[in-house]
Amino acid sequence: IDQFMGSTPYGFGITIDLAGRIWVADYNNRWLVRARPSPPQPTGLFQGPISFPMGLTMDPKGNLLVANGYGYNLQYMNLNTPIGRVSPVNGLMTNFYANPSEIPTPFGLAVDSSENLYASIYDWYQWNPNPFMNTVRKTSVYEPWKGYSTLASGFTMPAHMVFREGNLYVAEQSYGAGKGKVSKVTLAGSKTDYSTGLNQPWGLAFS
């Protein structure tokens, strides 16, 4: 995968689709890389209207969802469609219903068993006056036009998330060594510290 990611790759997000293929969001080169896990071999390079892809996740129907961080929106790709190298022309990478005021700089993505989509809103520079910065926002995977609501707020810089046993776990960055943490958020919106004293946590996974 590293050899296929181009110059100065910056792998921000990673997920595995229903066929067992690995997807990596290459932030610096503004594309997605797809590879087979065994033997490790790249099988696709996907460009399109992607600006700094950050988070990746799969929805229950096998679509790939992309947090297009500094494109200020979410995008999805139907993986059931035969694809090679995609571009805006063939329409396989599609904008998810959203606008910059609803989900500014989305970073992490997670989907629960009820087909709700969660996006962490990340503010690295801590200057944006948008009230949704440094929150986790929620919408329906298949009816996003009904709008977004804020599930939880009070984060420093929320990065990647994992949905596990009815709760969200959020990697929460902060300026300064030892100030990062992992937060646990219930689906009722209650936020508590799960693990503290970290430096700059980006990703999460459960065995």
Side-chain angles (χ1 to χ4, degrees), residues 65-66 72-75 95-104 106 109 117-121 132 135-141 143-151:
L65 298 172
V66 183
Y72 310 105
N73 65 4
L74 305 180
Q75 296 177 303
N95 285 343
F96 204 71
Y97 179 82
N99 63 56
S101 65
E102 290 181 305
I103 51 166
L109 297 176
L117 173 67
Y118 303 88
S120 63
I121 310 302
F132 300 138
T135 65
V136 171
R137 307 218 72 204
K138 172 185 175 182
T139 190
S140 166
V141 173
E143 297 179 308
W145 53 86
K146 291 185 176 179
Y148 292 73
S149 61
T150 297
L151 175 69

Side-chain angles (χ1 to χ4, degrees), residues 61-78:
K61 294 183 179 179
N63 297 309
L64 177 69
L65 298 172
V66 183
N68 193 20
Y70 290 102
Y72 310 105
N73 65 4
L74 305 180
Q75 296 177 303
Y76 73 90
M77 181 188 294
N78 183 344

Side-chain angles (χ1 to χ4, degrees), residues 15-133:
T15 193
I16 299 175
D17 66 21
L18 299 182
R21 298 170 299 189
I22 301 168
W23 292 79
V24 179
D26 186 346
Y27 175 91
N28 271 3
N29 292 295
R30 305 188 189 189
W31 56 39
L32 305 180
V33 175
R34 185 185 72 187
R36 290 193 301 267
S38 181
Q41 180 179 353
T43 61
L45 176 66
F46 302 93
Q47 296 172 304
I50 305 173
S51 301
F52 306 110
M54 293 181 171
L56 300 174
T57 195
M58 303 297 301
D59 74 9
K61 294 183 179 179
N63 297 309
L64 177 69
L65 298 172
V66 183
N68 193 20
Y70 290 102
Y72 310 105
N73 65 4
L74 305 180
Q75 296 177 303
Y76 73 90
M77 181 188 294
N78 183 344
L79 299 187
N80 296 318
T81 302
I83 49 179
R85 181 183 290 266
V86 305
S87 70
V89 176
N90 58 30
L92 293 174
M93 180 63 79
T94 306
N95 285 343
F96 204 71
Y97 179 82
N99 63 56
S101 65
E102 290 181 305
I103 51 166
T105 48
F107 193 121
L109 297 176
V111 177
D112 68 20
S113 57
S114 298
E115 300 179 351
N116 294 306
L117 173 67
Y118 303 88
S120 63
I121 310 302
Y122 183 94
D123 185 10
W124 176 264
Y125 298 107
Q126 304 290 302
W127 59 264
N128 194 311
N130 188 302
F132 300 138
M133 282 299 193

